[in-house]
Short mmCIF file of all heavy atoms in Angstrom, two decimals:
data_model
loop_
_atom_site.label_atom_id
_atom_site.label_comp_id
_atom_site.label_asym_id
_atom_site.label_seq_id
_atom_site.Cartn_x
_atom_site.Cartn_y
_atom_site.Cartn_z
N THR A 1 -2.06 7.82 -7.63
CA THR A 1 -1.79 6.58 -6.83
C THR A 1 -0.43 6.07 -7.30
O THR A 1 0.12 6.47 -8.32
CB THR A 1 -2.88 5.55 -7.10
OG1 THR A 1 -2.97 5.40 -8.53
CG2 THR A 1 -4.12 5.97 -6.45
N LYS A 2 0.07 5.10 -6.59
CA LYS A 2 1.48 4.56 -6.83
C LYS A 2 1.67 4.15 -8.29
O LYS A 2 2.78 4.26 -8.82
CB LYS A 2 1.81 3.44 -5.88
CG LYS A 2 3.34 3.11 -5.85
CD LYS A 2 3.62 2.16 -4.78
CE LYS A 2 5.14 1.77 -4.89
NZ LYS A 2 5.45 0.72 -3.82
N ASP A 3 0.69 3.63 -8.93
CA ASP A 3 0.84 3.12 -10.37
C ASP A 3 1.18 4.30 -11.37
O ASP A 3 1.70 3.95 -12.44
CB ASP A 3 -0.31 2.30 -10.82
CG ASP A 3 -1.64 3.14 -10.71
OD1 ASP A 3 -1.67 4.07 -9.95
OD2 ASP A 3 -2.62 2.90 -11.33
N TYR A 4 0.98 5.47 -10.89
CA TYR A 4 1.31 6.64 -11.75
C TYR A 4 2.83 6.75 -11.97
O TYR A 4 3.23 7.27 -13.01
CB TYR A 4 0.84 7.95 -11.24
CG TYR A 4 -0.61 8.24 -11.60
CD1 TYR A 4 -1.70 7.69 -10.99
CD2 TYR A 4 -0.86 9.16 -12.61
CE1 TYR A 4 -3.06 7.98 -11.42
CE2 TYR A 4 -2.15 9.46 -13.09
CZ TYR A 4 -3.22 8.86 -12.41
OH TYR A 4 -4.53 9.17 -12.83
N PHE A 5 3.58 6.21 -11.05
CA PHE A 5 5.04 6.24 -11.18
C PHE A 5 5.38 5.48 -12.52
O PHE A 5 6.34 6.00 -13.23
CB PHE A 5 5.73 5.75 -9.95
CG PHE A 5 5.83 6.68 -8.82
CD1 PHE A 5 5.05 6.51 -7.76
CD2 PHE A 5 6.70 7.80 -8.87
CE1 PHE A 5 5.03 7.35 -6.69
CE2 PHE A 5 6.69 8.72 -7.79
CZ PHE A 5 5.95 8.45 -6.72
N SER A 6 4.84 4.39 -12.67
CA SER A 6 5.09 3.60 -13.89
C SER A 6 4.72 4.36 -15.13
O SER A 6 5.46 4.37 -16.15
CB SER A 6 4.45 2.23 -13.87
OG SER A 6 4.82 1.48 -12.78
N TYR A 7 3.62 5.04 -15.11
CA TYR A 7 3.14 5.91 -16.24
C TYR A 7 4.08 6.99 -16.50
O TYR A 7 4.43 7.25 -17.64
CB TYR A 7 1.72 6.45 -15.91
CG TYR A 7 1.26 7.48 -16.88
CD1 TYR A 7 1.00 7.13 -18.14
CD2 TYR A 7 1.20 8.80 -16.53
CE1 TYR A 7 0.48 8.13 -19.08
CE2 TYR A 7 0.87 9.78 -17.46
CZ TYR A 7 0.47 9.44 -18.69
OH TYR A 7 0.11 10.39 -19.60
N PHE A 8 4.56 7.65 -15.46
CA PHE A 8 5.50 8.73 -15.59
C PHE A 8 6.78 8.27 -16.29
O PHE A 8 7.27 9.01 -17.27
CB PHE A 8 5.85 9.45 -14.24
CG PHE A 8 4.77 10.20 -13.57
CD1 PHE A 8 4.77 10.33 -12.14
CD2 PHE A 8 3.71 10.65 -14.28
CE1 PHE A 8 3.72 10.95 -11.49
CE2 PHE A 8 2.66 11.34 -13.64
CZ PHE A 8 2.68 11.50 -12.30
N ARG A 9 7.36 7.13 -15.77
CA ARG A 9 8.53 6.63 -16.42
C ARG A 9 8.32 6.12 -17.85
O ARG A 9 9.19 6.32 -18.68
CB ARG A 9 9.08 5.46 -15.56
CG ARG A 9 9.77 5.97 -14.29
CD ARG A 9 10.71 4.90 -13.75
NE ARG A 9 9.90 3.82 -13.17
CZ ARG A 9 9.50 3.69 -11.97
NH1 ARG A 9 9.75 4.71 -11.10
NH2 ARG A 9 8.78 2.75 -11.60
N SER A 10 7.17 5.63 -18.22
CA SER A 10 6.91 5.18 -19.53
C SER A 10 6.82 6.33 -20.57
O SER A 10 7.06 6.14 -21.72
CB SER A 10 5.62 4.31 -19.61
OG SER A 10 4.51 5.15 -19.35
N SER A 11 6.54 7.53 -20.02
CA SER A 11 6.33 8.66 -20.87
C SER A 11 7.59 9.56 -20.86
O SER A 11 7.59 10.72 -21.35
CB SER A 11 5.12 9.47 -20.53
OG SER A 11 5.24 10.02 -19.15
N ASN A 12 8.66 9.03 -20.30
CA ASN A 12 9.92 9.83 -20.07
C ASN A 12 11.07 9.17 -20.71
O ASN A 12 11.30 7.93 -20.58
CB ASN A 12 10.07 9.99 -18.53
CG ASN A 12 11.53 10.28 -18.25
OD1 ASN A 12 12.10 11.29 -18.50
ND2 ASN A 12 12.17 9.27 -17.47
N ASP A 13 11.95 9.93 -21.32
CA ASP A 13 13.17 9.45 -21.94
C ASP A 13 14.42 10.14 -21.37
O ASP A 13 15.49 10.15 -21.96
CB ASP A 13 13.13 9.50 -23.49
CG ASP A 13 12.96 10.91 -23.94
OD1 ASP A 13 12.89 11.88 -23.10
OD2 ASP A 13 12.91 11.15 -25.16
N ASP A 14 14.26 10.73 -20.18
CA ASP A 14 15.38 11.54 -19.56
C ASP A 14 15.86 10.66 -18.45
O ASP A 14 15.18 10.33 -17.38
CB ASP A 14 14.76 12.83 -19.01
CG ASP A 14 15.87 13.76 -18.50
OD1 ASP A 14 16.78 13.22 -17.66
OD2 ASP A 14 15.99 14.94 -18.74
N LYS A 15 17.16 10.28 -18.54
CA LYS A 15 17.82 9.37 -17.57
C LYS A 15 17.77 9.93 -16.18
O LYS A 15 17.42 9.27 -15.18
CB LYS A 15 19.25 9.11 -17.95
CG LYS A 15 20.03 8.25 -16.93
CD LYS A 15 21.47 8.24 -17.21
CE LYS A 15 22.19 7.60 -16.10
NZ LYS A 15 23.68 7.66 -16.31
N ASP A 16 17.98 11.32 -16.05
CA ASP A 16 18.02 11.89 -14.74
C ASP A 16 16.65 11.99 -14.15
O ASP A 16 16.43 11.83 -12.88
CB ASP A 16 18.72 13.27 -14.78
CG ASP A 16 20.13 13.16 -15.22
OD1 ASP A 16 20.89 12.44 -14.67
OD2 ASP A 16 20.47 13.81 -16.24
N HIS A 17 15.56 12.25 -15.01
CA HIS A 17 14.22 12.21 -14.52
C HIS A 17 13.89 10.79 -13.94
O HIS A 17 13.22 10.63 -12.97
CB HIS A 17 13.29 12.50 -15.58
CG HIS A 17 13.12 14.07 -15.75
ND1 HIS A 17 12.01 14.59 -16.41
CD2 HIS A 17 14.01 15.03 -15.58
CE1 HIS A 17 12.17 15.89 -16.38
NE2 HIS A 17 13.35 16.13 -15.98
N ASP A 18 14.39 9.79 -14.71
CA ASP A 18 14.08 8.41 -14.31
C ASP A 18 14.68 8.09 -12.87
O ASP A 18 14.10 7.41 -12.13
CB ASP A 18 14.66 7.49 -15.31
CG ASP A 18 14.05 6.04 -15.24
OD1 ASP A 18 12.83 5.93 -15.50
OD2 ASP A 18 14.82 5.11 -14.95
N ILE A 19 15.94 8.56 -12.67
CA ILE A 19 16.57 8.41 -11.40
C ILE A 19 15.71 9.05 -10.27
O ILE A 19 15.42 8.41 -9.21
CB ILE A 19 17.96 8.94 -11.39
CG1 ILE A 19 18.91 8.17 -12.30
CG2 ILE A 19 18.46 9.02 -9.91
CD1 ILE A 19 20.22 8.85 -12.48
N PHE A 20 15.26 10.24 -10.53
CA PHE A 20 14.49 10.95 -9.47
C PHE A 20 13.10 10.24 -9.24
O PHE A 20 12.74 10.09 -8.16
CB PHE A 20 14.18 12.45 -9.95
CG PHE A 20 13.33 13.12 -8.91
CD1 PHE A 20 13.92 13.71 -7.87
CD2 PHE A 20 11.93 13.18 -8.99
CE1 PHE A 20 13.19 14.41 -6.87
CE2 PHE A 20 11.16 13.87 -8.05
CZ PHE A 20 11.87 14.49 -6.97
N LEU A 21 12.46 9.75 -10.36
CA LEU A 21 11.23 9.10 -10.19
C LEU A 21 11.39 7.81 -9.40
O LEU A 21 10.48 7.41 -8.64
CB LEU A 21 10.55 8.81 -11.56
CG LEU A 21 10.03 10.05 -12.32
CD1 LEU A 21 9.73 9.69 -13.78
CD2 LEU A 21 8.90 10.66 -11.65
N LYS A 22 12.48 7.13 -9.57
CA LYS A 22 12.78 5.93 -8.82
C LYS A 22 12.92 6.27 -7.35
O LYS A 22 12.37 5.57 -6.43
CB LYS A 22 14.12 5.28 -9.41
CG LYS A 22 14.55 4.07 -8.62
CD LYS A 22 15.92 3.56 -9.19
CE LYS A 22 16.42 2.40 -8.34
NZ LYS A 22 17.79 2.02 -8.80
N ILE A 23 13.64 7.31 -7.02
CA ILE A 23 13.82 7.72 -5.69
C ILE A 23 12.48 8.20 -5.12
O ILE A 23 12.11 7.81 -3.87
CB ILE A 23 14.83 8.93 -5.59
CG1 ILE A 23 16.20 8.56 -6.11
CG2 ILE A 23 14.87 9.47 -4.16
CD1 ILE A 23 17.13 9.71 -6.33
N ALA A 24 11.69 8.98 -5.87
CA ALA A 24 10.35 9.45 -5.35
C ALA A 24 9.48 8.40 -5.02
O ALA A 24 8.69 8.37 -4.03
CB ALA A 24 9.82 10.43 -6.33
N GLU A 25 9.40 7.32 -5.92
CA GLU A 25 8.55 6.15 -5.69
C GLU A 25 8.92 5.43 -4.44
O GLU A 25 8.13 5.04 -3.59
CB GLU A 25 8.58 5.26 -6.83
CG GLU A 25 7.62 4.03 -6.72
CD GLU A 25 7.52 3.20 -7.96
OE1 GLU A 25 8.34 3.40 -8.82
OE2 GLU A 25 6.67 2.20 -7.88
N ASP A 26 10.21 5.24 -4.23
CA ASP A 26 10.70 4.56 -3.05
C ASP A 26 10.40 5.31 -1.83
O ASP A 26 9.89 4.73 -0.77
CB ASP A 26 12.25 4.36 -3.15
CG ASP A 26 12.75 3.48 -2.13
OD1 ASP A 26 12.34 2.32 -1.94
OD2 ASP A 26 13.76 3.86 -1.36
N PHE A 27 10.59 6.56 -1.84
CA PHE A 27 10.23 7.53 -0.67
C PHE A 27 8.71 7.44 -0.47
O PHE A 27 8.21 7.40 0.75
CB PHE A 27 10.76 8.88 -0.80
CG PHE A 27 10.26 9.83 0.27
CD1 PHE A 27 10.70 9.63 1.57
CD2 PHE A 27 9.34 10.77 0.08
CE1 PHE A 27 10.28 10.38 2.63
CE2 PHE A 27 8.84 11.58 1.12
CZ PHE A 27 9.32 11.35 2.38
N TYR A 28 7.89 7.60 -1.56
CA TYR A 28 6.46 7.59 -1.42
C TYR A 28 6.00 6.38 -0.56
O TYR A 28 5.19 6.42 0.26
CB TYR A 28 5.80 7.54 -2.72
CG TYR A 28 4.34 7.38 -2.65
CD1 TYR A 28 3.51 8.49 -2.38
CD2 TYR A 28 3.78 6.19 -2.94
CE1 TYR A 28 2.11 8.43 -2.39
CE2 TYR A 28 2.39 6.02 -2.90
CZ TYR A 28 1.56 7.16 -2.59
OH TYR A 28 0.12 7.03 -2.57
N SER A 29 6.51 5.17 -0.89
CA SER A 29 6.23 3.87 -0.21
C SER A 29 6.68 3.99 1.27
O SER A 29 5.87 3.66 2.15
CB SER A 29 6.86 2.77 -0.88
OG SER A 29 6.42 2.54 -2.21
N TYR A 30 7.87 4.48 1.49
CA TYR A 30 8.35 4.68 2.82
C TYR A 30 7.46 5.64 3.68
O TYR A 30 7.13 5.45 4.73
CB TYR A 30 9.75 5.24 2.78
CG TYR A 30 10.52 5.31 4.15
CD1 TYR A 30 11.20 4.29 4.65
CD2 TYR A 30 10.38 6.49 4.88
CE1 TYR A 30 11.83 4.40 5.88
CE2 TYR A 30 10.98 6.61 6.10
CZ TYR A 30 11.78 5.59 6.64
OH TYR A 30 12.25 5.70 7.82
#
């Protein structure tokens, strides 16, 4: 579910992964 994006980001310290997860969450909502 959508709240998993927050979990993914909290367990991640890769800036580029964070950018992708931000895009993916935005697209998921869209």
Side-chain angles (χ1 to χ4, degrees):
T1 53
K2 191 175 179 180
D3 55 339
Y4 271 81
F5 284 105
S6 297
Y7 169 73
F8 293 155
R9 281 199 293 273
S10 67
S11 61
N12 156 63
D13 57 3
D14 186 311
K15 176 189 173 185
D16 299 304
H17 279 206
D18 197 64
I19 292 172
F20 180 85
L21 291 169
K22 177 183 174 184
I23 298 164
E25 181 175 7
D26 190 53
F27 173 69
Y28 174 80
S29 297
Y30 183 91

